[in-house]
Amino acid sequence: MVRQLPGLSVYNRTYLVKRNVLPGLHLSLGITLFYVGLIVVLPLSALVFKAASLGPAEYWSIVSSPRAVASYRVTAFSALIATLFNLVFGLALAWVLTRYRFPGRRIIDAMVDLPFALPTAVAGISLTALFSSNGWFGSVLSEAGIKVAYTPIGIMIAMCFTSLPFIVRTVQPVLEDLDPALEEAAQSLGGSDWTIFRKVILPLLTPALLAGLSLSFARSLGEFGAIIFIAGNQPMSTEITALLIFIRLEEYDYQAAAAIASVLLLTAFAMLAVTNWLQSRALRYTVKG
């Protein structure tokens, strides 16, 4: 039974009822902390402790070896190019899905989430079949002198495929919630389409774009299954860091695997910290208007 509080409107009483649906603070907080600790903190702590068991000289020798540095370079550069591509294509796709109605729109909208549901190994095999020298797309590109499979280009395509939904799904809700009156006011003042997009819409989309970019880049850094089939996995050339970690695990060199993985972990944390800082600045700019 809900206790009626004097001096509150029906709306406020309804709000108080809705916010108390979950159990009390201590139980809810305890369940949350237990889940986060078991699923997130515990594995990361094990990784950090394993890497910390190495001495500074040994740790630096592992993470700065030529093969490891080459894998960092391949992974980071490919992830950067894939993220920049997804920034343009993902924003355009979110814009079309939000602003236009056309036959097949719901099918395309549903297909955006396909990389979430599709096993990454299946995606890697499919991309390899399509972009190999005798595949549907690869045969055409081969005639133009462009080789995709077993090259860094293949790595970028696999990263684009698996990380595209992060940008689309973070930008799409913001586009749907934009107030049309803002664009109408800009049009009434004589603003062109490009000026309205650059000075009215883009600042409002910036926090969502930054969130999507960080998630897309982080997913590309850690992607494994979709890449190993199309990359060629040649050390110093097309070997990604995730594969090098897997190789060290197969060699039972757990400390080296943890050391190399810690580099990716620190990179992800640094990237998220910078992204959150940029988001806070963008939100403050948006609020001040």
PDB file of all heavy atoms in Angstrom, residues 177-196:
ATOM      1  N   ASP A 177      15.495  12.690 -31.026  1.00  0.00           N
ATOM      2  CA  ASP A 177      14.991  13.580 -29.980  1.00  0.00           C
ATOM      3  C   ASP A 177      15.272  15.054 -30.239  1.00  0.00           C
ATOM      4  O   ASP A 177      14.882  15.900 -29.424  1.00  0.00           O
ATOM      5  CB  ASP A 177      15.601  13.189 -28.627  1.00  0.00           C
ATOM      6  CG  ASP A 177      15.113  11.836 -28.149  1.00  0.00           C
ATOM      7  OD1 ASP A 177      14.037  11.402 -28.615  1.00  0.00           O
ATOM      8  OD2 ASP A 177      15.819  11.200 -27.327  1.00  0.00           O
ATOM      9  N   LEU A 178      15.953  15.382 -31.332  1.00  0.00           N
ATOM     10  CA  LEU A 178      16.241  16.783 -31.624  1.00  0.00           C
ATOM     11  C   LEU A 178      14.946  17.553 -31.867  1.00  0.00           C
ATOM     12  O   LEU A 178      14.038  17.070 -32.545  1.00  0.00           O
ATOM     13  CB  LEU A 178      17.147  16.900 -32.843  1.00  0.00           C
ATOM     14  CG  LEU A 178      18.629  16.555 -32.656  1.00  0.00           C
ATOM     15  CD1 LEU A 178      19.392  16.761 -33.960  1.00  0.00           C
ATOM     16  CD2 LEU A 178      19.250  17.399 -31.551  1.00  0.00           C
ATOM     17  N   ASP A 179      14.894  18.747 -31.334  1.00  0.00           N
ATOM     18  CA  ASP A 179      13.712  19.586 -31.497  1.00  0.00           C
ATOM     19  C   ASP A 179      13.696  20.191 -32.898  1.00  0.00           C
ATOM     20  O   ASP A 179      14.623  20.940 -33.250  1.00  0.00           O
ATOM     21  CB  ASP A 179      13.724  20.697 -30.452  1.00  0.00           C
ATOM     22  CG  ASP A 179      12.424  21.490 -30.424  1.00  0.00           C
ATOM     23  OD1 ASP A 179      11.530  21.186 -31.249  1.00  0.00           O
ATOM     24  OD2 ASP A 179      12.311  22.402 -29.590  1.00  0.00           O
ATOM     25  N   PRO A 180      12.689  19.905 -33.729  1.00  0.00           N
ATOM     26  CA  PRO A 180      12.655  20.483 -35.084  1.00  0.00           C
ATOM     27  C   PRO A 180      12.593  21.999 -35.082  1.00  0.00           C
ATOM     28  O   PRO A 180      12.963  22.637 -36.076  1.00  0.00           O
ATOM     29  CB  PRO A 180      11.373  19.886 -35.687  1.00  0.00           C
ATOM     30  CG  PRO A 180      11.066  18.681 -34.854  1.00  0.00           C
ATOM     31  CD  PRO A 180      11.562  18.997 -33.486  1.00  0.00           C
ATOM     32  N   ALA A 181      12.136  22.590 -33.978  1.00  0.00           N
ATOM     33  CA  ALA A 181      12.029  24.048 -33.926  1.00  0.00           C
ATOM     34  C   ALA A 181      13.389  24.717 -34.067  1.00  0.00           C
ATOM     35  O   ALA A 181      13.486  25.836 -34.593  1.00  0.00           O
ATOM     36  CB  ALA A 181      11.367  24.475 -32.616  1.00  0.00           C
ATOM     37  N   LEU A 182      14.453  24.051 -33.624  1.00  0.00           N
ATOM     38  CA  LEU A 182      15.792  24.623 -33.749  1.00  0.00           C
ATOM     39  C   LEU A 182      16.189  24.773 -35.214  1.00  0.00           C
ATOM     40  O   LEU A 182      16.711  25.819 -35.625  1.00  0.00           O
ATOM     41  CB  LEU A 182      16.802  23.750 -33.015  1.00  0.00           C
ATOM     42  CG  LEU A 182      16.622  23.611 -31.497  1.00  0.00           C
ATOM     43  CD1 LEU A 182      17.628  22.620 -30.939  1.00  0.00           C
ATOM     44  CD2 LEU A 182      16.777  24.960 -30.822  1.00  0.00           C
ATOM     45  N   GLU A 183      15.945  23.735 -35.996  1.00  0.00           N
ATOM     46  CA  GLU A 183      16.268  23.808 -37.417  1.00  0.00           C
ATOM     47  C   GLU A 183      15.363  24.791 -38.145  1.00  0.00           C
ATOM     48  O   GLU A 183      15.799  25.505 -39.054  1.00  0.00           O
ATOM     49  CB  GLU A 183      16.153  22.416 -38.042  1.00  0.00           C
ATOM     50  CG  GLU A 183      17.114  21.403 -37.432  1.00  0.00           C
ATOM     51  CD  GLU A 183      16.927  20.018 -38.020  1.00  0.00           C
ATOM     52  OE1 GLU A 183      16.943  19.892 -39.252  1.00  0.00           O
ATOM     53  OE2 GLU A 183      16.759  19.050 -37.236  1.00  0.00           O
ATOM     54  N   GLU A 184      14.090  24.830 -37.761  1.00  0.00           N
ATOM     55  CA  GLU A 184      13.161  25.769 -38.402  1.00  0.00           C
ATOM     56  C   GLU A 184      13.555  27.204 -38.108  1.00  0.00           C
ATOM     57  O   GLU A 184      13.471  28.075 -38.985  1.00  0.00           O
ATOM     58  CB  GLU A 184      11.741  25.488 -37.903  1.00  0.00           C
ATOM     59  CG  GLU A 184      11.206  24.133 -38.349  1.00  0.00           C
ATOM     60  CD  GLU A 184       9.878  23.792 -37.687  1.00  0.00           C
ATOM     61  OE1 GLU A 184       9.416  24.616 -36.865  1.00  0.00           O
ATOM     62  OE2 GLU A 184       9.336  22.710 -37.977  1.00  0.00           O
ATOM     63  N   ALA A 185      14.001  27.470 -36.887  1.00  0.00           N
ATOM     64  CA  ALA A 185      14.445  28.820 -36.551  1.00  0.00           C
ATOM     65  C   ALA A 185      15.681  29.200 -37.354  1.00  0.00           C
ATOM     66  O   ALA A 185      15.802  30.337 -37.837  1.00  0.00           O
ATOM     67  CB  ALA A 185      14.727  28.912 -35.053  1.00  0.00           C
ATOM     68  N   ALA A 186      16.609  28.257 -37.509  1.00  0.00           N
ATOM     69  CA  ALA A 186      17.818  28.535 -38.293  1.00  0.00           C
ATOM     70  C   ALA A 186      17.477  28.776 -39.758  1.00  0.00           C
ATOM     71  O   ALA A 186      18.071  29.641 -40.409  1.00  0.00           O
ATOM     72  CB  ALA A 186      18.792  27.380 -38.156  1.00  0.00           C
ATOM     73  N   GLN A 187      16.522  28.009 -40.286  1.00  0.00           N
ATOM     74  CA  GLN A 187      16.101  28.227 -41.665  1.00  0.00           C
ATOM     75  C   GLN A 187      15.436  29.578 -41.847  1.00  0.00           C
ATOM     76  O   GLN A 187      15.639  30.263 -42.850  1.00  0.00           O
ATOM     77  CB  GLN A 187      15.154  27.108 -42.103  1.00  0.00           C
ATOM     78  CG  GLN A 187      15.829  25.764 -42.319  1.00  0.00           C
ATOM     79  CD  GLN A 187      14.848  24.683 -42.711  1.00  0.00           C
ATOM     80  OE1 GLN A 187      13.637  24.831 -42.542  1.00  0.00           O
ATOM     81  NE2 GLN A 187      15.353  23.570 -43.225  1.00  0.00           N
ATOM     82  N   SER A 188      14.649  29.976 -40.863  1.00  0.00           N
ATOM     83  CA  SER A 188      13.968  31.276 -40.961  1.00  0.00           C
ATOM     84  C   SER A 188      14.949  32.437 -40.926  1.00  0.00           C
ATOM     85  O   SER A 188      14.650  33.527 -41.423  1.00  0.00           O
ATOM     86  CB  SER A 188      12.953  31.417 -39.819  1.00  0.00           C
ATOM     87  OG  SER A 188      13.610  31.482 -38.564  1.00  0.00           O
ATOM     88  N   LEU A 189      16.130  32.185 -40.344  1.00  0.00           N
ATOM     89  CA  LEU A 189      17.158  33.222 -40.302  1.00  0.00           C
ATOM     90  C   LEU A 189      18.065  33.188 -41.522  1.00  0.00           C
ATOM     91  O   LEU A 189      19.039  33.933 -41.592  1.00  0.00           O
ATOM     92  CB  LEU A 189      18.001  33.060 -39.034  1.00  0.00           C
ATOM     93  CG  LEU A 189      17.262  33.299 -37.709  1.00  0.00           C
ATOM     94  CD1 LEU A 189      18.164  32.980 -36.530  1.00  0.00           C
ATOM     95  CD2 LEU A 189      16.781  34.747 -37.623  1.00  0.00           C
ATOM     96  N   GLY A 190      17.747  32.324 -42.478  1.00  0.00           N
ATOM     97  CA  GLY A 190      18.495  32.281 -43.731  1.00  0.00           C
ATOM     98  C   GLY A 190      19.683  31.348 -43.732  1.00  0.00           C
ATOM     99  O   GLY A 190      20.530  31.434 -44.635  1.00  0.00           O
ATOM    100  N   GLY A 191      19.778  30.451 -42.776  1.00  0.00           N
ATOM    101  CA  GLY A 191      20.900  29.532 -42.734  1.00  0.00           C
ATOM    102  C   GLY A 191      20.791  28.447 -43.801  1.00  0.00           C
ATOM    103  O   GLY A 191      19.699  27.917 -44.056  1.00  0.00           O
ATOM    104  N   SER A 192      21.901  28.104 -44.418  1.00  0.00           N
ATOM    105  CA  SER A 192      21.912  27.032 -45.408  1.00  0.00           C
ATOM    106  C   SER A 192      21.885  25.683 -44.701  1.00  0.00           C
ATOM    107  O   SER A 192      22.054  25.589 -43.480  1.00  0.00           O
ATOM    108  CB  SER A 192      23.159  27.136 -46.283  1.00  0.00           C
ATOM    109  OG  SER A 192      24.334  26.983 -45.505  1.00  0.00           O
ATOM    110  N   ASP A 193      21.680  24.621 -45.479  1.00  0.00           N
ATOM    111  CA  ASP A 193      21.630  23.278 -44.887  1.00  0.00           C
ATOM    112  C   ASP A 193      22.940  22.931 -44.198  1.00  0.00           C
ATOM    113  O   ASP A 193      22.941  22.357 -43.096  1.00  0.00           O
ATOM    114  CB  ASP A 193      21.310  22.234 -45.975  1.00  0.00           C
ATOM    115  CG  ASP A 193      19.892  22.374 -46.507  1.00  0.00           C
ATOM    116  OD1 ASP A 193      19.062  23.002 -45.815  1.00  0.00           O
ATOM    117  OD2 ASP A 193      19.623  21.847 -47.608  1.00  0.00           O
ATOM    118  N   TRP A 194      24.060  23.258 -44.845  1.00  0.00           N
ATOM    119  CA  TRP A 194      25.354  22.947 -44.255  1.00  0.00           C
ATOM    120  C   TRP A 194      25.600  23.775 -42.986  1.00  0.00           C
ATOM    121  O   TRP A 194      26.121  23.266 -41.998  1.00  0.00           O
ATOM    122  CB  TRP A 194      26.459  23.202 -45.268  1.00  0.00           C
ATOM    123  CG  TRP A 194      27.841  23.120 -44.687  1.00  0.00           C
ATOM    124  CD1 TRP A 194      28.744  24.119 -44.572  1.00  0.00           C
ATOM    125  CD2 TRP A 194      28.466  21.964 -44.109  1.00  0.00           C
ATOM    126  NE1 TRP A 194      29.893  23.678 -43.975  1.00  0.00           N
ATOM    127  CE2 TRP A 194      29.760  22.351 -43.690  1.00  0.00           C
ATOM    128  CE3 TRP A 194      28.072  20.646 -43.920  1.00  0.00           C
ATOM    129  CZ2 TRP A 194      30.637  21.479 -43.087  1.00  0.00           C
ATOM    130  CZ3 TRP A 194      28.950  19.766 -43.318  1.00  0.00           C
ATOM    131  CH2 TRP A 194      30.208  20.178 -42.912  1.00  0.00           C
ATOM    132  N   THR A 195      25.189  25.050 -43.002  1.00  0.00           N
ATOM    133  CA  THR A 195      25.361  25.897 -41.828  1.00  0.00           C
ATOM    134  C   THR A 195      24.512  25.401 -40.658  1.00  0.00           C
ATOM    135  O   THR A 195      24.975  25.374 -39.509  1.00  0.00           O
ATOM    136  CB  THR A 195      24.985  27.345 -42.164  1.00  0.00           C
ATOM    137  OG1 THR A 195      25.810  27.814 -43.234  1.00  0.00           O
ATOM    138  CG2 THR A 195      25.177  28.248 -40.950  1.00  0.00           C
ATOM    139  N   ILE A 196      23.290  24.974 -40.951  1.00  0.00           N
ATOM    140  CA  ILE A 196      22.414  24.447 -39.897  1.00  0.00           C
ATOM    141  C   ILE A 196      23.002  23.179 -39.301  1.00  0.00           C
ATOM    142  O   ILE A 196      23.000  22.988 -38.082  1.00  0.00           O
ATOM    143  CB  ILE A 196      21.001  24.192 -40.467  1.00  0.00           C
ATOM    144  CG1 ILE A 196      20.345  25.506 -40.868  1.00  0.00           C
ATOM    145  CG2 ILE A 196      20.128  23.453 -39.457  1.00  0.00           C
ATOM    146  CD1 ILE A 196      19.036  25.333 -41.598  1.00  0.00           C
TER     147      ILE A 196
END
